[in-house]
């Protein structure tokens, strides 16, 4: 027997319709690379997005066509986003920080018909466009001649909720980038899941600074969840350094923000140097890479900001687990809570999670046994765009995340490492991630990375790379002493290498692939007698 409720297709245009109607005066603030701050409202953005839809239709864009964007977080970007998905086109966010040859590959693979680009990307476009035959038009974001003549009325939605809405390519740390094709339904559900009190918990009272780039992992769904609740939205553009972020937080009264750890690290360094304070920020979600303990403590102790860690990946929309407290953990002291904040957290409702051995057998949730992390649900990819990578689900329909993790008796998942970064030493595994996150707590360290280096006896041994804070000098032994007692003895790196730069990839995470390339000729100081 069918229920007798109304049929309400879950299409994403409804999010901005809702914001315009019920939170119409709430502000959206954008800052451009030259520091100019632009203010608009949800009601105004709604009209502009409808004009963008009409401009796209006039440009020959039809449902299912790929509309690419190449730019930073801004209201101009957001209006094209809604303008495209509202008419059933597929919004394809390109990452300007990728290498030009990767961008060319992605545009050709997606068969993008039109690119809406930030004017700052003009040189990059000049380089790539001759190699992108599917692209018929390039429009610069903010080109009023293209958008302004069009009507602010346009019919949105009215199509099936399973229609594709967004296309986002993974940064491709191994092999070519692969496309994840979100549907209206999957993003709608994801946005609702992230709004739960035990997830991002956004509300109409929040001012949200979206540091996660709109081109990365679906912007953690904030482009939908903020309008859903009518939160004020602050879009920081290209400048993500500590001083710029701090200024925006203070002048706009930001209460909540989400970003990868390196953004918070840069902000904290700036605050330390200047004695600056965070007077409005209440809570942040840190994800995309593991959150160092020093970061959680500095934000909490020095600035009264609560850090919640989230885990996910482009393929999981992305948010899937969040390190919020159960009542038992909430009753503990802050120090006792920290080990749980360091875990990637508990599963959001609507998803299923398991860890397995290489043969696909389920492993116990005892907090010690680690295995392949597998996930299932309506916000999880079922396949890659164009069938790349073939069948990506196991026989139970779970997606293999490529992460290795434990799950404890309280239900907290903890990532041990990326399967490809874990260091295999003497048949046992060393988590590169754990060692680097402890090492970065050293007061002289700005960033740390740990990689495995080939060893004749133990297969691989860890080496710690340290980028010191400006003006600092240090001895290797200081870092080895700092790690002592905090990790198992045999996890101690065989060497500490001071470097001028720890390279960050196109999404702000430490680029281990590039580090491994740079360290290609490196030989361990004493390969025959490792420190075990
Ligand atoms: P991406 O699709 O580029 O966002 O990368 C997703 C990957 O980032 C995941 O598979 C994890 O390896 C890593 N990741 C995301 N969040 C976390 C986290 N909180 N802690 C550790 N690793 C994370």
């Amino acid at each position: 027997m069918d229920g007798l409720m109304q049929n309400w297709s879950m299409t994403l245009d409804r999010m901005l319709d809702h914001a315009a109607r019920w939170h119409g005066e709430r502000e959206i603030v954008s800052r451009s690379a030259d520091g100019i701050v632009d203010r608009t409202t949800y009601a105004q953005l709604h009209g502009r997005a409808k004009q963008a839809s009409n401009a796209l239709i006039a440009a020959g864009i039809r449902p299912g066509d790929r509309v690419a964007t190449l730019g930073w977080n801004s209201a101009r970007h957001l209006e094209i986003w809604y303008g495209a998905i509202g008419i059933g086109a597929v919004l394809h966010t390109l990452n300007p920080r990728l290498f030009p040859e990767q961008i060319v590959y992605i545009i050709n693979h997606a068969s993008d018909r039109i690119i809406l680009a930030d004017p700052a990307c003009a040189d990059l476009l000049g380089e790539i466009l001759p190699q992108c035959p599917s692209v018929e038009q390039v429009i610069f974001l903010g080109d009023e001649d293209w958008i302004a003549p069009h009507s602010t009325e346009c019919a949105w939605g009215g199509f099936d909720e399973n229609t594709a809405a967004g296309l986002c390519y993974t940064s491709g740390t191994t092999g070519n980038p692969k496309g994840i094709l979100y549907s209206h339904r999957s993003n709608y559900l994801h946005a609702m899941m992230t709004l739960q009190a035990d997830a991002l918990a956004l509300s109409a009272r929040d001012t949200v600074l979206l540091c996660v780039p709109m081109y990365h992992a679906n912007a953690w769904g904030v482009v939908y969840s903020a309008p859903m609740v009518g939160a004020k939205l602050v879009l920081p553009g290209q400048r993500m350094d500590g001083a710029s972020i701090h200024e925006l937080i203070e002048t706009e009264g930001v209460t909540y923000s989400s970003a990868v750890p390196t953004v918070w690290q840069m902000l904290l360094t700036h605050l330390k140097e200047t004695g600056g304070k965070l007077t409005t920020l209440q809570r942040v979600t840190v994800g995309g890479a593991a959150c160092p303990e020093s970061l959680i403590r500095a934000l909490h102790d020095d600035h009264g900001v609560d850090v919640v860690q989230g885990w996910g990946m482009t393929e999981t929309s992305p948010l899937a687990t969040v390190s919020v407290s159960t009542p038992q953990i909430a009753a503990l002291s802050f120090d006792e809570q920290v080990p749980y904040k360091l875990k990637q957290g508990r599963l959001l409702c609507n998803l299923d999670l398991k860890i397995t051995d290489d043969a696909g057998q389920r492993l116990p949730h005892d907090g010690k046994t680690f295995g392949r992390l597998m996930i299932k649900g309506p916000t999880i990819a079922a396949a890659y765009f164009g069938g790349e990578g073939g069948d990506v689900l196991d026989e139970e329909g779970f997606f293999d995340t490529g992460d290795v993790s434990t799950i404890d008796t309280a239900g907290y998942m903890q990532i041990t490492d990326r399967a490809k970064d874990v260091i295999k030493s003497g048949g046992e595994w060393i988590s590169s991630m754990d060692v680097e996150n402890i090492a970065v707590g050293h007061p002289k360290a700005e960033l740390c990375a740990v990689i495995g280096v080939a060893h004749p006896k133990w297969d691989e041994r860890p080496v710690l790379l340290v980028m010191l804070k400006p003006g600092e000098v240090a001895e290797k032994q200081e870092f080895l002493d700092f790690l002592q007692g905090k990790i198992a003895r045999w996890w101690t790196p065989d060497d500490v290498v001071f470097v001028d730069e720890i390279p960050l990839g196109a999404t702000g995470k430490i680029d281990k692939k590039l580090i491994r390339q740079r360290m290609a000729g490196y030989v361990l100081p004493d390969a025959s007698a490792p420190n075990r």
Side-chain angles (χ1 to χ4, degrees):
M1 187 193 289
D2 287 340
L4 285 173
M5 305 312 281
Q6 298 182 5
N7 193 2
W8 177 273
S9 188
M10 288 190 279
T11 58
L12 296 161
D13 45 291
R14 295 184 188 279
M15 311 302 196
L16 193 57
D17 280 349
H18 177 83
R21 180 132 166 65
W22 300 103
H23 305 280
E25 297 309 308
R26 205 66 166 122
E27 268 188 320
I28 300 166
V29 180
S30 307
R31 194 184 49 196
S32 62
D34 46 18
I36 295 168
V37 171
D38 169 70
R39 290 175 193 279
T40 186
T41 63
Y42 280 118
Q44 287 166 346
L45 191 109
H46 185 253
R48 295 272 308 182
K50 295 244 168 177
Q51 286 180 297
S53 293
N54 286 320
L56 288 169
I57 292 167
I61 297 300
R62 300 286 171 262
D65 285 346
R66 264 74 76 201
V67 172
T69 57
L70 184 68
W72 321 103
N73 293 8
S74 71
R76 296 285 89 88
H77 196 167
L78 194 57
E79 70 200 21
I80 289 297
W81 186 304
Y82 274 94
I85 63 170
I87 57 169
V90 178
L91 193 273
H92 175 200
T93 45
L94 293 164
N95 178 346
R97 292 201 201 276
L98 291 175
F99 294 115
E101 53 276 20
Q102 285 176 308
I103 302 180
V104 167
Y105 171 88
I106 291 172
I107 291 173
N108 290 335
H109 190 269
S111 303
D112 293 327
R113 286 192 61 198
I114 185 169
I115 301 180
L116 285 297
D118 193 300
C121 298
D123 289 349
L124 173 61
L125 278 168
E127 191 178 335
I128 61 177
L129 279 178
Q131 303 163 68
C132 302
S134 66
V135 178
E136 297 156 26
Q137 297 171 64
V138 172
I139 309 293
F140 286 112
L141 291 169
D143 178 348
E144 290 307 308
D145 292 342
W146 186 74
I147 198 165
H150 294 281
S151 160
T152 55
E153 298 295 322
C154 180
W156 274 356
F159 40 77
D160 188 280
E161 65 192 27
N162 289 301
T163 302
L167 181 60
C168 199
Y169 279 70
T170 55
S171 6
T173 41
T174 47
N176 276 323
K178 296 196 206 64
I180 290 93
L181 188 61
Y182 305 111
S183 67
H184 280 259
R185 175 186 151 86
S186 72
N187 274 350
Y188 199 111
L189 290 172
H190 175 261
M192 296 190 76
M193 286 154 62
T194 64
L195 282 176
Q196 296 170 71
D198 275 349
L200 305 189
L202 302 187
S203 83
R205 272 91 49 214
D206 275 316
T207 294
V208 175
L209 173 65
L210 182 59
C211 290
V212 179
M214 284 163 70
Y215 54 74
H216 181 219
N218 210 15
W220 295 10
V222 173
V223 287
Y224 304 119
S225 54
M228 276 170 87
V229 296
K232 174 176 163 183
L233 193 54
V234 182
L235 302 168
Q238 197 171 350
R239 279 173 29 188
M240 297 295 294
D241 58 283
S244 304
I245 292 297
H246 183 220
E247 188 201 336
L248 260 188
I249 291 175
E250 290 301 307
T251 52
E252 297 304 327
V254 170
T255 58
Y256 168 85
S257 185
S258 46
V260 292
T262 42
V263 169
W264 301 118
Q265 213 79 48
M266 287 188 291
L267 175 65
L268 285 170
T269 302
H270 166 78
L271 295 176
K272 239 208 167 106
E273 279 167 13
T274 59
K277 290 278 167 234
L278 297 169
T279 58
T280 59
L281 193 65
Q282 295 163 3
R283 52 192 216 287
V284 297
T285 312
V286 180
C291 184
E293 180 170 346
S294 51
L295 203 156
I296 296 175
R297 288 193 184 274
L299 280 169
H300 175 270
D301 298 350
D302 302 342
H303 302 282
V305 176
D306 186 36
V307 176
V308 169
Q309 185 164 188
W311 168 85
M313 58 200 309
T314 312
E315 289 88 335
T316 64
S317 294
L319 203 67
T321 69
V322 188
S323 69
V324 289
S325 302
T326 59
Q328 292 80 4
I329 289 157
L332 301 175
S333 70
F334 179 74
D335 279 347
E336 290 166 324
Q337 287 180 23
V338 168
Y340 294 94
K341 287 185 170 289
L342 286 170
K343 300 194 178 199
Q344 280 65 30
R346 288 161 52 83
L347 190 64
L348 295 182
C349 176
N350 222 16
L351 298 173
D352 197 2
L353 197 67
K354 66 177 179 181
I355 46 173
T356 68
D357 61 17
D358 285 340
Q361 294 302 311
R362 283 177 191 251
L363 295 170
H365 294 185
D366 58 10
K368 293 195 276 291
T369 314
F370 46 81
R372 292 180 160 279
L373 182 66
M374 313 283 291
I375 190 161
K376 185 178 177 178
T379 54
I380 311 299
Y384 287 107
F385 187 58
E388 298 301 325
D391 191 359
V392 295
L393 306 183
D394 74 1
E395 31 328 326
E396 291 182 321
F398 282 79
F399 176 85
D400 186 342
T401 65
D403 285 331
V404 173
S405 82
T406 57
I407 301 176
D408 68 18
T409 49
Y412 285 74
M413 185 274 285
Q414 182 164 29
I415 303 275
T416 308
D417 223 333
R418 271 312 270 170
K420 62 183 176 354
D421 292 337
V422 90
I423 298 163
K424 292 164 190 106
S425 181
E428 302 282 349
W429 287 7
I430 297 173
S431 165
S432 67
M433 211 179 78
D434 278 2
V435 181
E436 62 202 31
N437 281 331
I438 294 170
V440 82
H442 190 290
K444 293 182 180 174
E446 174 80 31
L447 283 176
C448 292
V450 172
I451 57 163
V453 173
H455 186 280
K457 181 169 176 195
W458 305 111
D459 290 340
E460 282 184 330
R461 290 294 301 155
V463 169
L464 170 65
L465 285 86
V466 179
M467 176 180 150
L468 293 169
K469 286 187 177 141
E472 293 289 0
V473 277
E475 296 292 325
K476 296 180 181 193
Q477 198 57 41
E478 289 178 51
F479 276 84
L480 298 177
D481 291 347
F482 182 75
L483 290 172
Q484 208 183 354
K486 300 187 179 84
I487 53 173
R489 241 177 69 76
W490 65 277
W491 280 31
T492 307
D494 278 21
D495 196 9
V496 180
V497 178
F498 293 103
V499 289
D500 294 336
E501 185 213 10
I502 300 250
L504 300 181
T507 55
K509 302 185 198 185
I510 291 171
D511 188 343
K512 295 247 178 119
K513 193 173 156 192
L514 187 55
I515 293 177
R516 278 192 276 263
Q517 279 169 14
R518 287 183 183 173
M519 295 286 284
Y522 170 86
V523 182
L524 287 167
D526 183 4
S528 58
N531 184 4
R532 283 168 66 98

